Amino acid sequence: MRFSFESVDATHYDELRPTYAPEAVRWVADRARLEPASLVVDLAAGTGQLSRRFVRLGVRVVAVEPAANMRALLATTLPDVTALPGTAEAIPLGDDEADAVVVGNAFHHFDAEAAFAEIRRVLRREGALALFWARTDRHADGLRLGIREIDEVVERERGSTPIVEAYRAWYEPPEHVEGFTTLERRSFPTTRTMASARLADLFATSSDIASLPEPQRPRLLARIGELAADLPETLELAERSDVQLWFRDVPPG
């Protein structure tokens, strides 16, 4: 059963989820040769973290998001983006319409075979598919022990779930996908600042935590809050934006 983000607080999600390095977005835009008239489709757009980055480049953006709460907030905060209900397996666009399809931290929720086929359908010839992943990188020495303890508690509680295993599988994506060119990969370091008091709220927006049953989920979030109280008030978190890029293949002849 697919996880529904309608169970997640959309405001917390918008405020706390990691975003993507501008350099990562620019690399994709350059490789895809995006121009002001180009159409970028943001699949499973959430509240628009990735849409926001592409709007700043001046391209047209259509955000496809199945969760009504996420889509409503996106439509309010990003009026220049067209927000549509839909999924990666049923994209509400016609054939060959998109110059690029982008996905932020979400492809592990898709039926990969069906999603690749549907993305290829909506992409124009040589259009780009870019999967963005916001990953945690090494933390500064002063934070490492405290953050590590939280990570260990989270790892023990959530264990190995289908969501976790699907996410980890995309650390090593397929080099070759039917109908697409060979995979290209780049990684871009970035940092972000957040209040330690909001770490529990951040974890609560993650599907692997939000999908935990009662009373396990609130117990885990309470423990995260307790551990976060021993951290500095403001955290500088080292992260990176990993990008996996394919282009719609054009058969010879």
Side-chain angles (χ1 to χ4, degrees):
M1 182 177 177
R2 174 174 291 182
F3 175 78
S4 173
F5 277 90
E6 293 191 8
S7 64
V8 172
D9 186 304
T11 300
H12 287 179
Y13 191 96
D14 193 54
E15 294 171 346
L16 298 172
R17 293 303 297 172
T19 185
Y20 305 93
E23 297 82 3
V25 174
R26 172 54 66 185
W27 178 67
V28 169
D30 289 346
R31 289 290 294 114
R33 300 179 182 177
L34 298 182
E35 301 174 345
S38 298
L39 176 62
V40 175
V41 178
D42 183 6
L43 279 185
T47 57
Q49 282 88 344
L50 199 48
S51 292
R52 191 172 289 116
R53 291 294 194 197
F54 277 93
V55 163
R56 291 172 184 167
L57 300 180
V59 299
R60 297 180 296 138
V61 178
V62 170
V64 177
E65 170 54 49
N69 57 331
M70 300 283 171
R71 196 170 62 248
L73 195 150
L74 186 156
T76 299
T77 58
L78 296 174
D80 292 334
V81 172
T82 301
L84 301 176
T87 67
E89 299 83 4
I91 302 171
L93 276 83
D95 296 353
D96 308 315
E97 281 195 49
D99 296 284
V101 172
V102 299
V103 184
N105 265 37
F107 203 89
H108 58 299
H109 290 294
F110 303 164
D111 176 328
E113 184 177 354
F116 275 124
E118 183 70 345
I119 290 165
R120 189 179 188 279
R121 179 186 68 79
V122 303
L123 279 174
R124 64 164 176 78
R125 291 167 58 90
E126 300 180 340
L129 166 61
L131 309 188
F132 289 79
W133 303 94
R135 315 260 197 211
T136 301
D137 221 328
R138 295 179 60 189
H139 298 293
D141 290 340
L143 294 178
R144 192 171 297 142
L145 289 178
I147 295 290
R148 183 185 300 159
E149 188 172 2
I150 291 175
D151 288 342
E152 289 172 353
V153 168
V154 170
E155 198 64 28
R156 276 198 308 271
E157 287 289 330
R158 73 181 178 185
S160 180
T161 67
I163 291 174
V164 171
E165 292 304 312
Y167 176 79
R168 289 173 176 163
W170 283 93
Y171 274 90
E172 291 300 330
E175 291 285 334
H176 299 281
V177 176
E178 184 177 358
F180 289 86
T181 58
T182 302
L183 170 70
E184 300 178 33
R185 304 175 71 165
R186 288 284 299 273
S187 187
F188 301 83
T190 186
T191 59
R192 65 171 169 142
T193 303
M194 70 170 294
S196 58
R198 302 212 64 190
L199 273 176
D201 291 337
L202 168 62
F203 276 94
T205 66
S206 181
S207 57
D208 56 335
I209 304 301
S211 60
L212 292 175
E214 301 279 354
Q216 185 181 8
R217 185 182 67 257
R219 183 178 64 230
L220 171 59
L221 294 174
R223 181 58 180 151
I224 292 170
E226 292 170 0
L227 293 172
D230 294 328
L231 293 172
E233 182 177 347
T234 301
L235 306 177
E236 294 287 338
L237 301 178
E239 298 176 339
R240 69 182 192 275
S241 297
D242 293 343
V243 186
Q244 300 159 356
L245 179 67
W246 296 264
F247 292 88
R248 180 182 162 185
D249 202 6
V250 180

